[in-house]
Amino acid sequence: MKKTHHHDVLVVGSGAAGMTVALQLADKYRIALLSKSALKSGSTWYAQGGIAAVFDNEDSIESHVQDTLIAGAGLCHEDTVRYTVEQGPEAIRWLVQQGVKFTLNSDNDDYHLTQEGGHSHRRILHTADATGREVSSSLADQVLQHPSIDVYEDHTVVDLITQADSNSSRVRCTGAYVLDDGNDCVCVFQAKVVVLATGGASKAYLYTTNPDGASGDGIAVAWRRGCRVANMEFNQFHPTCLYHPSAKAFLITEALRGEGAQLKLPNGERFMDKFHPSGELAPRDIVARAIDHEMKRLGSDCLFLDISHRSEEFLESHFPTIKAKCLSYGIDITREPIPVVPAAHYTCGGIMVNKSGQTDLWNLYAIGETAFTGLHGANRMASNSLVECVVYGQAAAQAIRDSIENIDEPEPARAWDESRVTHSDEDVVISHNWDELRRFMWDYVGIVRTRKRLERAHHRVKLLQKEIQEYYTNYKISRDLLELRNLVLVADLIIRSAEQRTESRGLHYTLDYPKTSDIAKDTIMVPINFAAQNVIVRKN
């Protein structure tokens, strides 16, 4: 079995961002694409709603920019927003070239566009209600057919490898230690350039719409190697996740509300008009907080989303996945409302990068949900995430093409040493710690926060970190242990960032500081081993 792998570019993560950068570079360079489980298992696969881009003649780039800035509650970086929105239509055209088939209007060949919360126009391209599946499948087909892309499924990043750069005083990234689950060993992957596209960290919460792999791996490994992170306190809670004892992390897309679905109390009364003039189409943070407020006020386990007033033919053509999934749990959406609760959905903060996705660590890039570009501000607007994946995947690929020829081959890295660890007979510790972490994050660092709740979370996360690090040091590693180690680190960053923000803004709402400050400022966390000597990332 091969313990060391050599490529030009190592891409960690197989969602839309990772596959985009791999495909953009593969015609000239040898690519290793790591997937924590199956190639089509990341968050992209589960995205239902769609991709936001301007294709309607009555819409405009400026309108999309302004909608995003408003949703971001004053913390979006306008230059990043404008760049992403301007590149959006070209990103869509590239996806179509890769085989993505978006839903068209029945009476012409134009794209069928839906509207979601925060958007002032219909600008959401979609493939029925399974857009992510279509994007993921199409890109995966291209990846698997490409002779220059080596796909490694069931491979989990452990830590990054760094070396001194012979051409400067900088430290550079030259690869990663990676757990090969199938062969139960740790391999060395070396490359001139490493790209982190590992997604977010919503598995830190008890209730989430994300797949099991969303454990903040990229953020954690980058932080441990000296990269700054920003705005980790802004965790987006999707307002409508299916509430059913047998349903695991099934999202009810915002597009339902765009097509007239109404949020209702258990007695059938609508309530969103009391919280925002846009009602059900208010930004996600407002809708999630409203549902949370009403659930707590009434002592209700869930609320309801009702689209039964639309025809069965309309629901079958527009939302076949949701209709079938709900029906499998005995819920007929053509006749009755859907029970819903908010759930952790998206990590708006992440690894600080510039417009090319370059991090503070030389030759290390971060793209997609794991990165902080400044696009989402204090609240991500619906369907802006997938377009960001493609736009920044393309930008990172261009920056890599411009620089890789001048990068020396890395020096051979040391093999992974596990000579002093043993197999654990107490893996139950991992599951217990995982459960404790997710429960106190939900209770204390959720939709509504207080100083006291954050203090409690801070105390408990420190105890968990100590216990998990001791376990990691003494026992043979597993994927579950690596994910827990990364999640507890990212949870600590979330808590510390939330404690620093003494205001309520966007997704961060605290009863101790209910007002929004006149000064909008990013929360930047700097590790002790800060990698950059000449900071290449724009300061706020």
Side-chain angles (χ1 to χ4, degrees):
M1 180 186 51
K2 193 174 182 181
K3 288 290 188 74
T4 302
H5 304 267
H6 296 276
H7 294 80
D8 296 313
V9 181
L10 169 62
V11 180
V12 185
S14 60
M19 288 195 284
T20 294
V21 74
L23 288 169
Q24 291 271 326
L25 293 169
D27 286 345
K28 192 170 182 181
Y29 303 106
R30 194 76 185 177
I31 313 297
L33 180 66
L34 306 188
S35 182
K36 192 189 286 189
S37 51
L39 188 61
K40 302 177 184 179
S41 61
S43 293
T44 297
W45 177 266
Y46 294 92
Q48 294 176 358
I51 305 179
V54 176
F55 276 89
D56 189 338
N57 291 333
E58 295 184 3
D59 196 4
S60 68
I61 295 294
E62 189 60 34
S63 177
H64 191 175
V65 168
Q66 292 305 316
D67 288 347
T68 302
L69 293 175
I70 292 169
L75 271 188
C76 296
H77 296 189
E78 185 170 351
D79 55 345
T80 298
V81 174
R82 196 168 294 280
Y83 172 74
T84 306
V85 170
E86 289 174 348
Q87 297 300 313
E90 178 55 37
I92 296 296
R93 286 188 279 270
W94 181 80
L95 287 174
V96 172
Q97 291 172 3
Q98 308 312 305
V100 176
K101 294 180 174 61
F102 293 108
T103 297
L104 302 176
N105 287 320
S106 57
D107 55 347
N108 57 42
D109 290 334
D110 293 338
Y111 293 121
H112 181 269
L113 304 174
T114 63
Q115 187 173 359
E116 296 180 344
H119 292 274
S120 59
H121 293 82
R122 287 181 171 265
R123 63 168 71 100
I124 314 302
L125 293 92
H126 64 102
T127 305
D129 61 347
T131 310
R133 188 183 308 170
E134 172 68 15
V135 170
S136 184
S137 295
S138 299
L139 295 182
D141 289 344
Q142 297 295 325
V143 163
L144 292 171
Q145 294 171 15
H146 206 294
S148 294
I149 301 178
D150 296 326
V151 176
Y152 298 86
E153 294 183 320
D154 299 313
H155 280 63
T156 303
V157 63
V158 180
D159 269 319
L160 299 174
I161 298 170
T162 57
Q163 298 175 3
D165 182 16
S166 59
N167 296 320
S168 71
S169 58
R170 298 288 297 275
V171 174
R172 66 176 177 136
C173 186
T174 58
Y177 292 108
V178 178
L179 175 65
D180 177 351
D181 283 343
N183 293 298
D184 193 27
C185 66
V186 176
C187 301
V188 173
F189 280 79
Q190 292 205 264
K192 290 184 175 182
V193 174
V194 177
V195 182
L196 297 175
T198 54
S202 286
K203 290 299 286 189
Y205 288 91
L206 182 61
Y207 301 110
T208 175
T209 65
N210 285 195
D212 287 340
S215 51
D217 300 335
I219 297 170
V221 299
W223 174 265
R224 286 197 289 265
R225 285 295 176 266
C227 293
R228 294 173 298 165
V229 301
N231 285 8
M232 291 299 296
E233 69 270 36
F234 296 112
N235 309 98
Q236 186 175 77
F237 290 80
H238 196 285
T240 53
C241 186
L242 177 63
Y243 179 76
H244 189 278
S246 301
K248 181 181 179 182
F250 186 70
L251 173 72
I252 304 298
T253 175
E254 193 160 329
L256 256 78
R257 284 180 278 135
E259 296 296 344
Q262 300 170 350
L263 282 163
K264 295 182 177 180
L265 302 176
N267 65 3
E269 178 187 346
R270 294 179 67 184
F271 61 91
M272 274 308 303
D273 288 345
K274 296 187 297 183
F275 292 90
H276 195 277
S278 296
E280 279 81 2
L281 289 179
R284 284 181 176 175
D285 60 324
I286 295 171
V287 180
R289 208 155 51 238
I291 294 174
D292 181 74
H293 172 85
E294 292 297 322
M295 285 173 58
K296 289 176 178 175
R297 181 178 69 85
L298 297 171
S300 177
D301 291 332
C302 66
L303 296 185
F304 296 89
L305 184 66
D306 191 358
I307 197 167
S308 61
H309 55 280
R310 300 302 299 261
S311 70
E312 185 169 355
E313 293 75 19
F314 177 86
L315 296 177
E316 181 61 42
S317 63
H318 285 74
F319 305 108
T321 305
I322 292 174
K323 182 174 180 289
K325 188 72 170 183
C326 288
L327 200 57
S328 72
Y329 295 116
I331 304 166
D332 184 353
I333 69 171
T334 68
R335 300 177 182 276
E336 58 189 319
I338 306 166
V340 294
V341 292
H345 182 58
Y346 193 88
T347 306
C348 288
I351 309 162
M352 291 188 69
V353 297
N354 66 8
K355 283 188 177 179
S356 299
Q358 169 72 55
T359 72
D360 292 321
L361 182 58
W362 210 238
N363 300 335
L364 176 67
Y365 292 75
I367 53 177
E369 191 175 351
T370 199
F372 168 76
T373 63
L375 172 63
H376 305 305
N379 182 22
R380 178 179 71 89
M381 192 166 69
S383 293
N384 270 354
S385 54
L386 283 180
V387 74
E388 180 190 34
C389 288
V390 179
V391 168
Y392 273 83
Q394 293 175 329
Q398 184 59 54
I400 292 168
R401 282 192 294 267
D402 292 342
S403 62
I404 194 169
E405 299 298 338
N406 297 320
I407 301 174
D408 294 335
E409 292 289 343
E411 295 293 325
R414 289 182 297 176
W416 182 256
D417 182 10
E418 54 184 9
S419 60
R420 290 176 289 181
V421 300
T422 62
H423 286 278
S424 170
D425 59 358
E426 298 179 341
D427 282 355
V428 68
V429 172
I430 297 175
S431 61
H432 283 183
N433 285 350
W434 182 289
D435 184 65
E436 180 182 353
L437 172 68
R438 298 179 69 198
R439 284 185 182 278
F440 77 66
M441 286 295 290
W442 182 263
D443 291 339
Y444 300 147
V445 201
I447 296 173
V448 178
R449 301 164 178 174
T450 67
R451 183 176 63 252
K452 181 61 71 176
R453 291 173 188 171
L454 293 176
E455 288 173 354
R456 289 171 179 161
H458 194 149
H459 175 69
R460 295 175 74 171
V461 81
K462 289 302 181 185
L463 293 176
L464 274 184
Q465 280 185 301
K466 184 177 179 180
E467 183 173 333
I468 293 165
Q469 183 58 34
E470 181 180 348
Y471 194 97
Y472 176 82
T473 303
N474 291 301
Y475 296 110
K476 189 175 176 66
I477 63 174
S478 64
R479 172 177 161 175
D480 285 345
L481 176 57
L482 292 176
E483 290 183 332
L484 178 61
R485 178 187 183 225
N486 291 335
L487 264 186
V488 76
L489 170 56
V490 173
D492 179 55
L493 293 171
I494 293 170
I495 296 164
R496 288 162 55 195
S497 298
E499 288 179 319
Q500 289 189 27
R501 186 164 293 279
T502 55
E503 63 164 348
S504 289
R505 183 185 295 274
L507 300 166
H508 175 77
Y509 184 79
T510 170
L511 297 177
D512 292 307
Y513 303 99
K515 295 183 178 180
T516 300
S517 172
D518 293 334
I519 301 173
K521 186 178 181 181
D522 292 330
T523 304
I524 298 174
M525 306 292 288
V526 182
I528 295 174
N529 57 334
F530 180 36
Q533 295 169 351
N534 299 298
V535 178
I536 50 83
V537 182
R538 177 186 64 251
K539 293 182 179 179
N540 188 42

